[in-house]
Amino acid sequence: MAAIDTGDLDLVADRVLALDERARREVAAALPGHIPVAEERADARRRARESRRARESEAAWREYVRAAQRAGRTVYEHERWRWDAPWNSPSVPVPGESWAGPLRVAGAAAIGGAAAVVSWLYRRDLQDGWNDAAVPAVLERVLAARPAEWQADFATRAALKLRPAPRRRGGRDPMAGLVLAMLRRTGATPPEHDPLVVAWAGHPPIAATLREDRLLDHLLPRLFEAEGVGLVLRDERADPPPPRSWLAALGKLESEGRIGRDLLLDGCLRRFLRGGQATDLRFFVRLHELLSPMYDEVIKRRHDYLRLLPAAPGVVAEAALRHLRRLETLDPDEVTEAVRALLSRGERKLLTAGLTWLDAVARDPGADLDELAPALGYAFACESADVQGRAVRMAVKHAKRFTPVGAQAIRDTIGVLPQELGETLAAVFGGEAGADQRDADGFTPSPLPEPLRPEPFPPPLRMAADLDPRPAAARWEAAELWLAGVVRLHGRDREGLAARLAEGRPLPDPPARPWVEVWQWCQEIARLVVPGAGAVAGEAVGPRGSSWLPQAGDVPGPHLFLLRRWAEVYDAIPAGALPPYLLAEPTGATGHLDAGELVERLAGYERAGVEALPADLQQALLRLPREIAPEVVARAAGLTSEAGRAAARWMGGGRPESATEIAWWYYPPAGAPGYGDRHVYGDDRETGGTLVYELVPRLRITPPVAGGSLDGGLPDAGLTDAGLPDAGLPDAGLTDAGLTDTGLTDVGLTGCEVSGGGVAGGGLPLVRELLGGSAEHRLKEHGGYMHWWPYLMPSHREAVAAHLVPHLIERWQRARVQPPLAWALALADGPAGEAVALVLAYFAADRSWSADPEERARPLVELAARGGLDAEQVGRQLALLVRRTELKPGPVFETLESAAALGAHREVWRVMTGFLAVFLPGPGERPHTRHTQGLVFALRAARWAEARGVPACVAEVAERRASNNFVREARRLHTYLT
């Protein structure tokens, strides 16, 4: 058993083969009981190796940090992953940790009967070690020491134990290679078992090896019968086939006469007639076409080809049709059978081929077209308007060839046509065209729902026992309650607070700077409060919290703002400057803070002679609702402190606003002009496909409208060319290579009181950074507690959305915007602009997060119910997403239909007006089916809303002289709207 612990397969084989018969029986009897022992020993060796690796990684990390500190460089926690990331671990056991493979070899060499050896190799608890490629070869070596009859018996039994391959690509039974090797070695007749054939097919041969394969004559006929072969071979190329492939090998042996053509052709046809998915038949279609059936071979098999036309997958039916059309000797009944079958298909290509064949038949004066009249009804019912139009034109062209019986059959099918085509057919054959069934979809309008009422925020923590020693940082409410509770209890019950914080898990060593996680700040605040917990870096009092903050631009702006609130509490504790309570603790579950409550808190500060913490005050202002009672504004005007006057100015009309522009950036592919540089889309209708990599929002602060200037007059803000208030901003426009070096961080709106050197100087610099700074940052994999952001600025939903935009469409990022954020934006307050529209549009169009369109529609409906939905802008953003990303229009229309059913039918039509203006093809673009679908849905939305007035983009299409389905649908919409 010692050899098993080494993991050396050859050593195990040599040791067991060297034993006599009695010793082998003893080993065989002991093996089952040794399985858990061997597994435990291997696991112990693995754990020891991982412990060594962890110690080595930690030592390397600490040396890396020391080297960076000596060089004056900031080290981030995420850099640690290069040493201890999970994907750096070995994916297979290293030598000495493998246990299942050695046990399998020992059993194959020691166990007596063939059936018992097969059962041993298939034991469930020995299936973990097949990833060692050496196991099958060593097993074959030990099995070759057995008598020939024993080997043949083993090969047959093991073949019957092979399991069906899973449908995932590349999946196969790990015993397959050993079974095939033993069958070839022994020459035993392979049993009839589909998984055996699939295993044989799973090893693509070259012609030379297949020619000598002892299994060829037995298994080749079964290649066309066994379930699963098509799945294994579906990816073989045929243009031309590579040398190591079944297509190349079979083609070579057929040309040499080693394999008969009839065997291959008949095998392919049998496989086609059995049916199946198109992907599973792909290989056989390629083999069939590689053989290029000759004229006589097609005539001989024409009945089989005809049987394929009605129901075989499209790729099979197309091949059958190509060969049948070569024949000139089909009798009239066979032609009629073929045309009927083609016209009953749903594929446009096959329907068109059927109409072409019908036209050729009709040129024969002796042909009986009455037999084909009912088949035209299938073409009339096709979803393709082009096929419908062609079928109608053909019926009209050959109308005189139909007898009254045939004409009646055509009249009976007029009702399935659109009204315009039905009238054309009725004018020739009689009858009456039916109304367009699309005009009535059973929609019943309903009013918008009442907006949801926000829940109150949990009550403040006033007892140390109610404080969680370590808050759940994933929940913003828990972290807000913890921070406010620590501040309140620090003044009321410092000993109780320290005792409660000491109950948490032991504090680990301080993390490397900067501290980018909220839990790190909570840990270090607790370290300051708990006696004897130790100060940061061994100092009596740790360095200022600002020195542990990440640099501006390294993390998202809202996250840096969040960390600054924790940092100022961290600084205030040792400085003795902690206030009795925080100003910014919310009163509503949306993050809002009641204005009257803030006035009371500020008045309490003034009575106690307490100075407000700058970040806390600015957070409190950002949480104020937009509607404030006049009596509360009057009370605020009586405050005398700097913080009180700042709040009074804010409540009295000095709240700044954000406006957003979003640039869509892309990187041209290799070889294209501008490769290697970032470029901006210059036109809404410019299509991106898969080239879009970045969305860059541009935030600008606009001055308050209500109340005018608070400090000596603020001039009226003019509008820039972009339609955004100028507000004295420097030109920070988009350049050819990207944003300017300075971005948009220096806004300088002194009239709005958001600039300056802090609260004492009358400025609110953190507000300026959030509402008017750059939304780009360097560490895009760091989401910065993104789910907290709407609750930091609950009355500035557009600014929140602008900071979310860089994380929206890049699916490779670890930090991405999640669907609940769209709902949070709907429940928030403040004007909604381009950024809010883009976030809502993305989740309305993205089916991957929810297959339920009603769920995707609810944020749109809620915002509409609150009167804040810029529907046309949402439509524009939906069109841009469909044009420039992988998102499709189908889910968009599903979501909008659900929104209409929920009461937003008028808003849905407005969404569609913005959508069509960008989505419809512009000059030089070809219309596609998706554009026609957009017009069809727009007509439905117009009927729901009883809309009038034609958008210019629809009028332009409707005036075109073409007669395709795209133009016809534009005319239908135009007619309704006028």
Side-chain angles (χ1 to χ4, degrees), residues 714-737:
L714 185 70
D716 293 337
L719 292 178
T720 64
D721 293 339
L724 294 174
D726 187 0
L729 277 166
D731 183 12
L734 302 172
T735 66
D736 291 340

PDB file of all heavy atoms in Angstrom, residues 714-737:
ATOM      1  N   LEU A 714     -26.658  85.839  -9.235  1.00  0.00           N
ATOM      2  CA  LEU A 714     -26.098  84.872 -10.176  1.00  0.00           C
ATOM      3  C   LEU A 714     -26.708  85.152 -11.527  1.00  0.00           C
ATOM      4  O   LEU A 714     -27.926  85.177 -11.668  1.00  0.00           O
ATOM      5  CB  LEU A 714     -26.423  83.443  -9.735  1.00  0.00           C
ATOM      6  CG  LEU A 714     -25.803  82.330 -10.570  1.00  0.00           C
ATOM      7  CD1 LEU A 714     -24.292  82.308 -10.320  1.00  0.00           C
ATOM      8  CD2 LEU A 714     -26.401  80.987 -10.211  1.00  0.00           C
ATOM      9  N   PRO A 715     -25.913  85.436 -12.542  1.00  0.00           N
ATOM     10  CA  PRO A 715     -26.488  85.791 -13.840  1.00  0.00           C
ATOM     11  C   PRO A 715     -27.275  84.631 -14.417  1.00  0.00           C
ATOM     12  O   PRO A 715     -27.023  83.484 -14.123  1.00  0.00           O
ATOM     13  CB  PRO A 715     -25.245  86.113 -14.695  1.00  0.00           C
ATOM     14  CG  PRO A 715     -24.133  85.379 -14.021  1.00  0.00           C
ATOM     15  CD  PRO A 715     -24.449  85.390 -12.577  1.00  0.00           C
ATOM     16  N   ASP A 716     -28.233  84.973 -15.264  1.00  0.00           N
ATOM     17  CA  ASP A 716     -28.994  83.927 -15.941  1.00  0.00           C
ATOM     18  C   ASP A 716     -28.056  83.063 -16.759  1.00  0.00           C
ATOM     19  O   ASP A 716     -27.157  83.557 -17.439  1.00  0.00           O
ATOM     20  CB  ASP A 716     -30.049  84.547 -16.874  1.00  0.00           C
ATOM     21  CG  ASP A 716     -31.128  85.270 -16.083  1.00  0.00           C
ATOM     22  OD1 ASP A 716     -31.300  84.920 -14.903  1.00  0.00           O
ATOM     23  OD2 ASP A 716     -31.753  86.169 -16.659  1.00  0.00           O
ATOM     24  N   ALA A 717     -28.285  81.770 -16.675  1.00  0.00           N
ATOM     25  CA  ALA A 717     -27.406  80.825 -17.374  1.00  0.00           C
ATOM     26  C   ALA A 717     -27.892  80.629 -18.788  1.00  0.00           C
ATOM     27  O   ALA A 717     -29.020  80.225 -19.011  1.00  0.00           O
ATOM     28  CB  ALA A 717     -27.386  79.488 -16.642  1.00  0.00           C
ATOM     29  N   GLY A 718     -27.036  80.921 -19.753  1.00  0.00           N
ATOM     30  CA  GLY A 718     -27.386  80.665 -21.131  1.00  0.00           C
ATOM     31  C   GLY A 718     -27.227  79.200 -21.474  1.00  0.00           C
ATOM     32  O   GLY A 718     -26.706  78.415 -20.712  1.00  0.00           O
ATOM     33  N   LEU A 719     -27.662  78.839 -22.667  1.00  0.00           N
ATOM     34  CA  LEU A 719     -27.539  77.458 -23.110  1.00  0.00           C
ATOM     35  C   LEU A 719     -26.383  77.330 -24.071  1.00  0.00           C
ATOM     36  O   LEU A 719     -26.210  78.155 -24.956  1.00  0.00           O
ATOM     37  CB  LEU A 719     -28.834  76.976 -23.777  1.00  0.00           C
ATOM     38  CG  LEU A 719     -30.054  76.830 -22.857  1.00  0.00           C
ATOM     39  CD1 LEU A 719     -31.257  76.390 -23.674  1.00  0.00           C
ATOM     40  CD2 LEU A 719     -29.774  75.831 -21.748  1.00  0.00           C
ATOM     41  N   THR A 720     -25.618  76.290 -23.913  1.00  0.00           N
ATOM     42  CA  THR A 720     -24.534  76.014 -24.849  1.00  0.00           C
ATOM     43  C   THR A 720     -25.110  75.377 -26.098  1.00  0.00           C
ATOM     44  O   THR A 720     -26.295  75.066 -26.183  1.00  0.00           O
ATOM     45  CB  THR A 720     -23.523  75.054 -24.211  1.00  0.00           C
ATOM     46  OG1 THR A 720     -24.168  73.812 -23.974  1.00  0.00           O
ATOM     47  CG2 THR A 720     -22.995  75.596 -22.893  1.00  0.00           C
ATOM     48  N   ASP A 721     -24.229  75.145 -27.074  1.00  0.00           N
ATOM     49  CA  ASP A 721     -24.670  74.489 -28.306  1.00  0.00           C
ATOM     50  C   ASP A 721     -25.227  73.112 -28.033  1.00  0.00           C
ATOM     51  O   ASP A 721     -26.058  72.610 -28.767  1.00  0.00           O
ATOM     52  CB  ASP A 721     -23.490  74.379 -29.292  1.00  0.00           C
ATOM     53  CG  ASP A 721     -23.062  75.752 -29.775  1.00  0.00           C
ATOM     54  OD1 ASP A 721     -23.887  76.674 -29.674  1.00  0.00           O
ATOM     55  OD2 ASP A 721     -21.905  75.886 -30.227  1.00  0.00           O
ATOM     56  N   ALA A 722     -24.733  72.469 -26.966  1.00  0.00           N
ATOM     57  CA  ALA A 722     -25.201  71.121 -26.648  1.00  0.00           C
ATOM     58  C   ALA A 722     -26.549  71.135 -25.951  1.00  0.00           C
ATOM     59  O   ALA A 722     -27.115  70.097 -25.664  1.00  0.00           O
ATOM     60  CB  ALA A 722     -24.180  70.383 -25.767  1.00  0.00           C
ATOM     61  N   GLY A 723     -27.092  72.331 -25.651  1.00  0.00           N
ATOM     62  CA  GLY A 723     -28.373  72.381 -24.987  1.00  0.00           C
ATOM     63  C   GLY A 723     -28.301  72.295 -23.494  1.00  0.00           C
ATOM     64  O   GLY A 723     -29.302  72.182 -22.822  1.00  0.00           O
ATOM     65  N   LEU A 724     -27.101  72.376 -22.920  1.00  0.00           N
ATOM     66  CA  LEU A 724     -26.940  72.294 -21.479  1.00  0.00           C
ATOM     67  C   LEU A 724     -26.602  73.672 -20.945  1.00  0.00           C
ATOM     68  O   LEU A 724     -25.885  74.442 -21.595  1.00  0.00           O
ATOM     69  CB  LEU A 724     -25.825  71.312 -21.114  1.00  0.00           C
ATOM     70  CG  LEU A 724     -26.107  69.864 -21.475  1.00  0.00           C
ATOM     71  CD1 LEU A 724     -24.866  69.029 -21.187  1.00  0.00           C
ATOM     72  CD2 LEU A 724     -27.269  69.328 -20.670  1.00  0.00           C
ATOM     73  N   PRO A 725     -27.095  74.014 -19.756  1.00  0.00           N
ATOM     74  CA  PRO A 725     -26.773  75.320 -19.184  1.00  0.00           C
ATOM     75  C   PRO A 725     -25.278  75.514 -19.083  1.00  0.00           C
ATOM     76  O   PRO A 725     -24.546  74.625 -18.654  1.00  0.00           O
ATOM     77  CB  PRO A 725     -27.437  75.257 -17.798  1.00  0.00           C
ATOM     78  CG  PRO A 725     -28.525  74.238 -17.949  1.00  0.00           C
ATOM     79  CD  PRO A 725     -27.994  73.244 -18.920  1.00  0.00           C
ATOM     80  N   ASP A 726     -24.826  76.692 -19.449  1.00  0.00           N
ATOM     81  CA  ASP A 726     -23.392  76.966 -19.477  1.00  0.00           C
ATOM     82  C   ASP A 726     -22.829  77.128 -18.079  1.00  0.00           C
ATOM     83  O   ASP A 726     -21.868  76.492 -17.702  1.00  0.00           O
ATOM     84  CB  ASP A 726     -23.161  78.242 -20.298  1.00  0.00           C
ATOM     85  CG  ASP A 726     -21.696  78.503 -20.524  1.00  0.00           C
ATOM     86  OD1 ASP A 726     -20.887  77.693 -20.044  1.00  0.00           O
ATOM     87  OD2 ASP A 726     -21.366  79.486 -21.181  1.00  0.00           O
ATOM     88  N   ALA A 727     -23.432  78.003 -17.255  1.00  0.00           N
ATOM     89  CA  ALA A 727     -23.034  78.212 -15.865  1.00  0.00           C
ATOM     90  C   ALA A 727     -21.564  78.552 -15.719  1.00  0.00           C
ATOM     91  O   ALA A 727     -20.929  78.242 -14.741  1.00  0.00           O
ATOM     92  CB  ALA A 727     -23.348  76.975 -15.031  1.00  0.00           C
ATOM     93  N   GLY A 728     -20.990  79.191 -16.730  1.00  0.00           N
ATOM     94  CA  GLY A 728     -19.615  79.617 -16.593  1.00  0.00           C
ATOM     95  C   GLY A 728     -18.617  78.501 -16.623  1.00  0.00           C
ATOM     96  O   GLY A 728     -17.515  78.637 -16.122  1.00  0.00           O
ATOM     97  N   LEU A 729     -18.970  77.369 -17.209  1.00  0.00           N
ATOM     98  CA  LEU A 729     -18.041  76.234 -17.227  1.00  0.00           C
ATOM     99  C   LEU A 729     -16.958  76.449 -18.259  1.00  0.00           C
ATOM    100  O   LEU A 729     -17.214  76.932 -19.354  1.00  0.00           O
ATOM    101  CB  LEU A 729     -18.794  74.950 -17.585  1.00  0.00           C
ATOM    102  CG  LEU A 729     -19.523  74.255 -16.432  1.00  0.00           C
ATOM    103  CD1 LEU A 729     -20.482  73.234 -16.997  1.00  0.00           C
ATOM    104  CD2 LEU A 729     -18.500  73.566 -15.561  1.00  0.00           C
ATOM    105  N   PRO A 730     -15.731  76.036 -17.961  1.00  0.00           N
ATOM    106  CA  PRO A 730     -14.704  76.024 -18.993  1.00  0.00           C
ATOM    107  C   PRO A 730     -15.054  74.970 -20.028  1.00  0.00           C
ATOM    108  O   PRO A 730     -15.773  74.027 -19.755  1.00  0.00           O
ATOM    109  CB  PRO A 730     -13.438  75.644 -18.210  1.00  0.00           C
ATOM    110  CG  PRO A 730     -13.937  74.903 -17.026  1.00  0.00           C
ATOM    111  CD  PRO A 730     -15.249  75.533 -16.664  1.00  0.00           C
ATOM    112  N   ASP A 731     -14.536  75.137 -21.214  1.00  0.00           N
ATOM    113  CA  ASP A 731     -14.813  74.180 -22.275  1.00  0.00           C
ATOM    114  C   ASP A 731     -14.079  72.886 -21.994  1.00  0.00           C
ATOM    115  O   ASP A 731     -12.870  72.815 -22.076  1.00  0.00           O
ATOM    116  CB  ASP A 731     -14.374  74.752 -23.625  1.00  0.00           C
ATOM    117  CG  ASP A 731     -14.724  73.808 -24.768  1.00  0.00           C
ATOM    118  OD1 ASP A 731     -15.483  72.859 -24.523  1.00  0.00           O
ATOM    119  OD2 ASP A 731     -14.241  74.057 -25.885  1.00  0.00           O
ATOM    120  N   ALA A 732     -14.833  71.863 -21.629  1.00  0.00           N
ATOM    121  CA  ALA A 732     -14.242  70.541 -21.367  1.00  0.00           C
ATOM    122  C   ALA A 732     -14.825  69.554 -22.344  1.00  0.00           C
ATOM    123  O   ALA A 732     -15.255  68.488 -21.996  1.00  0.00           O
ATOM    124  CB  ALA A 732     -14.504  70.112 -19.932  1.00  0.00           C
ATOM    125  N   GLY A 733     -14.884  69.951 -23.580  1.00  0.00           N
ATOM    126  CA  GLY A 733     -15.534  69.114 -24.580  1.00  0.00           C
ATOM    127  C   GLY A 733     -14.768  67.859 -24.880  1.00  0.00           C
ATOM    128  O   GLY A 733     -13.648  67.652 -24.453  1.00  0.00           O
ATOM    129  N   LEU A 734     -15.395  67.015 -25.679  1.00  0.00           N
ATOM    130  CA  LEU A 734     -14.792  65.748 -26.048  1.00  0.00           C
ATOM    131  C   LEU A 734     -13.816  65.962 -27.190  1.00  0.00           C
ATOM    132  O   LEU A 734     -14.138  66.569 -28.197  1.00  0.00           O
ATOM    133  CB  LEU A 734     -15.892  64.762 -26.468  1.00  0.00           C
ATOM    134  CG  LEU A 734     -16.958  64.494 -25.388  1.00  0.00           C
ATOM    135  CD1 LEU A 734     -18.079  63.662 -25.984  1.00  0.00           C
ATOM    136  CD2 LEU A 734     -16.325  63.796 -24.213  1.00  0.00           C
ATOM    137  N   THR A 735     -12.623  65.470 -27.025  1.00  0.00           N
ATOM    138  CA  THR A 735     -11.618  65.595 -28.069  1.00  0.00           C
ATOM    139  C   THR A 735     -11.597  64.336 -28.895  1.00  0.00           C
ATOM    140  O   THR A 735     -12.280  63.367 -28.615  1.00  0.00           O
ATOM    141  CB  THR A 735     -10.235  65.822 -27.447  1.00  0.00           C
ATOM    142  OG1 THR A 735      -9.862  64.645 -26.740  1.00  0.00           O
ATOM    143  CG2 THR A 735     -10.244  66.991 -26.473  1.00  0.00           C
ATOM    144  N   ASP A 736     -10.760  64.320 -29.921  1.00  0.00           N
ATOM    145  CA  ASP A 736     -10.665  63.129 -30.758  1.00  0.00           C
ATOM    146  C   ASP A 736     -10.173  61.936 -29.979  1.00  0.00           C
ATOM    147  O   ASP A 736     -10.502  60.811 -30.285  1.00  0.00           O
ATOM    148  CB  ASP A 736      -9.717  63.388 -31.949  1.00  0.00           C
ATOM    149  CG  ASP A 736     -10.337  64.377 -32.918  1.00  0.00           C
ATOM    150  OD1 ASP A 736     -11.574  64.527 -32.871  1.00  0.00           O
ATOM    151  OD2 ASP A 736      -9.588  64.976 -33.702  1.00  0.00           O
ATOM    152  N   ALA A 737      -9.329  62.140 -28.984  1.00  0.00           N
ATOM    153  CA  ALA A 737      -8.754  61.018 -28.244  1.00  0.00           C
ATOM    154  C   ALA A 737      -9.476  60.732 -26.956  1.00  0.00           C
ATOM    155  O   ALA A 737      -9.222  59.751 -26.319  1.00  0.00           O
ATOM    156  CB  ALA A 737      -7.278  61.281 -27.941  1.00  0.00           C
TER     157      ALA A 737
END
